[in-house]
Amino acid sequence: MTDPDQPSTVPYGIPLLEESAPPQVDDRPEILLITGMSGAGRSRTAAVLEDLDWYVVDNLPPKMLMALAGMMTQADGGVRRLAAVVDVRSREFFSDLVQVLDDLRSAQITYRIVFLDATDEVLVRRFEQVRRPHPLQGDGRMLDGIAEERRLLTHLRSRADVTLDSSDLSVHDLARAVRDLVVSDVQPDLRITTVSFGFKYGLPLDADHVVDVRFLKNPYWVTELRHLTGKDEPVRDYVLGLPGAEEFVGRWVAAIEPVLDGYVQEQKPYVTIAVGCTGGKHRSVAISEAIATALRGQGRVVRTVHRDLGRE
């Protein structure tokens, strides 16, 4: 039985999919193999991926790749994004890599190879800066080790999906390039912490920005509010109701907005905003909560910490 208002291919009683229905997202596990020249940025690449919540394994013997791939799962809490750093440090195991890659393809396990490279001149300078020998140098010159590594990696470089030349990249530029490989158009979250504190107990050591709210009247001198904290509604209403308090919060948040956007561009994942009053109980607590609320209204990820509550 068909409905005259629906195409004949759609059984009666089954609604058509809405045209605005979102497309299905490919949720398959991801495997990224990080390899390339020693000194070209493999460790930095691994650190960036770890910050992006990838499960990172460094200096992995290639034969273990199949076992790790078998442990990946689409279930919540499982390993869905695996990054394995594989290079000549695994010595005799490295010769197994080409066969392992073929085995992964045969098992229909998809992966991408990211090859890190740099010029010989840059690699020599980087090793000299850290005063370490090249892993394949042996008793020869550093350039001998670099040449041998290039020879061993020739076939793997030809199979790479992406080659990153880090010769002219700063560590921040390399981090940005790696993020572009694995992150969608959505900007990564900047994790903000607002910390209330009392100046008499000292500044928070990890503060990136310090906000001094001692210019506001102190609720401590109001008998009905003294025993309460800035998390209590009467104190919050009192503090935010003081002349200039809400205007201060609005203007301060507007002033910090381009700074936070700059942190995102410069790959700074965390920022701590410390808000201080005399004892860290009333004004700083109320204002730090107000700042956090305003930042969340902009779509920011913010948590609040009240360091000195309970210390008096």
Side-chain angles (χ1 to χ4, degrees):
M1 184 176 180
T2 61
D3 186 336
D5 294 328
Q6 289 186 338
S8 59
T9 54
V10 179
Y12 179 70
I14 299 180
L16 286 168
L17 290 176
E18 295 183 5
E19 293 182 359
S20 60
Q24 289 188 346
V25 178
D26 187 355
D27 202 34
R28 291 175 299 179
E30 300 176 74
I31 299 179
L32 207 59
L33 302 182
I34 310 300
T35 189
M37 298 296 294
S38 300
R42 296 186 312 244
S43 297
R44 176 59 176 165
T45 298
V48 172
L49 292 170
E50 197 165 36
D51 289 342
L52 293 173
D53 293 327
W54 285 65
Y55 185 84
V56 178
V57 182
D58 195 8
N59 198 15
L60 181 73
K63 283 189 175 181
M64 296 186 63
L65 274 172
M66 286 293 293
L68 277 176
M71 295 170 58
M72 298 181 71
T73 175
Q74 297 184 28
D76 292 341
V79 176
R80 287 197 55 258
R81 298 188 298 178
L82 169 68
V85 181
V86 182
D87 52 69
V88 294
R89 288 176 297 168
S90 54
R91 304 292 179 175
E92 65 272 13
F93 297 112
F94 186 74
S95 60
D96 301 325
L97 181 56
V98 173
Q99 182 59 52
V100 170
L101 295 178
D102 291 336
D103 292 343
L104 288 171
R105 293 289 189 205
S106 299
Q108 297 184 331
I109 298 173
T110 58
Y111 60 85
R112 287 189 295 165
I113 300 175
V114 177
F115 191 98
L116 279 297
D117 203 353
T119 64
D120 289 359
E121 179 183 0
V122 169
L123 294 176
V124 169
R125 184 169 67 247
R126 289 174 180 172
F127 274 106
E128 288 179 343
Q129 286 174 345
V130 297
R131 300 184 180 182
R132 295 188 62 188
H134 188 279
L136 298 184
Q137 181 176 342
D139 295 329
R141 301 164 59 216
M142 187 178 297
L143 284 173
D144 296 332
I146 292 173
E148 176 62 11
E149 186 173 34
R150 287 203 186 280
R151 185 189 68 80
L152 291 173
L153 293 174
T154 299
H155 182 66
L156 187 58
R157 193 182 196 281
S158 68
R159 296 183 61 159
D161 298 280
V162 178
T163 300
L164 289 177
D165 189 328
S166 66
S167 301
D168 299 319
L169 300 180
S170 69
V171 291
H172 303 297
D173 292 333
L174 178 58
R176 189 176 294 108
V178 173
R179 284 175 179 267
D180 289 343
L181 285 176
V182 298
V183 178
S184 65
D185 293 335
V186 178
Q187 289 283 3
D189 288 334
L190 174 68
R191 302 174 191 178
I192 303 171
T193 302
T194 62
V195 181
S196 68
F197 72 97
F199 276 97
K200 69 179 182 180
Y201 301 117
L203 289 171
L205 294 177
D206 58 347
D208 296 295
H209 300 271
V210 177
V211 183
D212 185 353
V213 296
R214 289 175 295 182
F215 70 93
L216 297 171
K217 289 185 178 180
N218 193 346
Y220 178 85
W221 303 112
V222 179
T223 303
E224 296 83 3
L225 302 178
R226 180 175 298 181
H227 68 287
L228 301 176
T229 75
K231 297 183 70 174
D232 295 310
E233 186 175 351
V235 175
R236 182 178 69 245
D237 292 345
Y238 175 87
V239 172
L240 293 178
L242 291 171
E246 288 194 343
E247 180 184 7
F248 171 78
V249 171
R251 289 191 176 189
W252 195 90
V253 170
I256 199 69
E257 185 175 357
V259 178
L260 300 179
D261 290 339
Y263 286 156
V264 172
Q265 294 299 320
E266 291 302 311
Q267 316 298 323
K268 180 177 172 62
Y270 306 99
V271 61
T272 299
I273 299 169
V275 183
C277 63
T278 303
K281 179 179 180 180
H282 297 107
R283 293 166 291 179
S284 62
V285 174
I287 295 298
S288 68
E289 289 284 353
I291 289 174
T293 299
L295 290 172
R296 291 188 189 109
Q298 297 177 349
R300 309 280 186 183
V301 177
V302 188
R303 73 183 185 111
T304 57
V305 175
H306 302 300
R307 190 192 71 175
D308 296 328
L309 278 185
R311 292 188 66 168
E312 74 281 356

